[in-house]
């Protein structure tokens, strides 16, 4: 199995219906960086707006522009990426005691995805680690982790409404 297929399979393991949306792929642009990653994040946000489960919560919502998404993102150290990815996939944003996925499946899948992108990958989130705030990408509660090695990308976004 090639890297892209493994990356897609690993991200699919981290997805849960109507809560954790994922995407993985290969950039068409050479040496892609944050703007190209933000464009893929925007594509994922557009997909959520067309999901029947969320459409009623997002009337009139248009995903932020690529520059706005770039501005909302904070870097994540590579050594923190796998635990963060497992958390986005498994732990409910509103009810942390509720799990979307068991840790026994989320943690190995997240480790594998981070390993596939490699130690030189860059990782981004909409969380501000300094103050704990979240730069929301939607009018709902959301938590994002996005990574790229410059050729491939992986995105996980959990969305919730109270």
């Amino acid at each position: 199995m090639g890297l892209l297929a493994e990356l897609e399979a690993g991200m699919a393991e981290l997805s849960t219906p109507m809560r954790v949306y994922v995407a993985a792929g290969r950039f068409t642009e050479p040496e892609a960086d944050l703007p190209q990653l933000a464009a893929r994040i925007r594509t994922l946000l557009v997909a959520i707006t067309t999901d029947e489960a969320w459409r009623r919560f997002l009337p009139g919502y248009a995903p932020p522009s690529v520059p706005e998404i770039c501005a909302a993102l904070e870097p994540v150290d590579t050594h923190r990426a796998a635990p963060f990815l497992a958390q986005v996939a498994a732990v409910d944003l509103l009810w942390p005691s509720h799990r979307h996925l068991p840790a026994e499946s989320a943690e190995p899948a997240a480790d594998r995805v981070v390993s596939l992108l490699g130690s030189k990958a860059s990782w981004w989130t909409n969380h501000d680690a300094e103050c704990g705030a979240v730069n929301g990408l939607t009018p709902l509660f959301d938590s994002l982790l996005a990574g790229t090695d410059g050729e491939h990308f992986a995105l996980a976004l959990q969305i919730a409404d109270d």
Side-chain angles (χ1 to χ4, degrees):
M1 185 182 312
L3 179 90
L4 180 57
E6 285 187 61
L7 191 59
E8 289 171 335
M11 291 305 292
E13 288 180 44
L14 296 169
S15 174
T16 57
M18 299 180 349
R19 280 308 196 142
V20 181
Y21 294 82
V22 300
R26 179 179 300 203
F27 290 110
T28 55
E29 308 88 352
E31 298 182 38
D33 204 359
L34 187 56
Q36 292 79 19
L37 185 62
R40 297 320 188 276
I41 293 167
R42 189 171 197 288
T43 299
L44 183 61
L45 292 169
V46 167
I48 291 168
T49 66
T50 63
D51 186 328
E52 189 63 37
W54 291 105
R55 190 176 314 160
R56 66 188 170 110
F57 294 105
L58 299 167
Y61 166 74
S65 67
V66 167
E68 290 169 327
I69 293 171
C70 287
L73 299 178
E74 300 284 336
V76 174
D77 293 333
T78 301
H79 72 277
R80 292 184 48 228
F84 197 122
L85 181 56
Q87 180 180 342
V88 168
V91 180
D92 189 84
L93 287 172
L94 298 177
W95 305 103
S97 61
H98 176 73
R99 298 290 187 258
H100 296 293
L101 294 173
E104 307 82 60
S105 59
E107 290 171 2
D111 287 342
R112 189 168 58 256
V113 165
V114 171
S115 175
L116 287 167
L117 286 181
S119 61
K120 301 246 190 277
S122 59
W123 292 91
W124 301 88
T125 185
N126 62 332
H127 293 254
D128 185 328
E130 295 298 313
C131 69
V134 176
N135 300 317
L137 298 171
T138 71
L140 306 171
F141 293 100
D142 57 69
S143 182
L144 168 82
L145 184 67
T148 180
D149 64 1
E151 183 178 350
H152 300 90
F153 64 90
L155 313 173
L157 177 75
Q158 186 184 141
I159 191 166
D161 183 53
D162 66 350

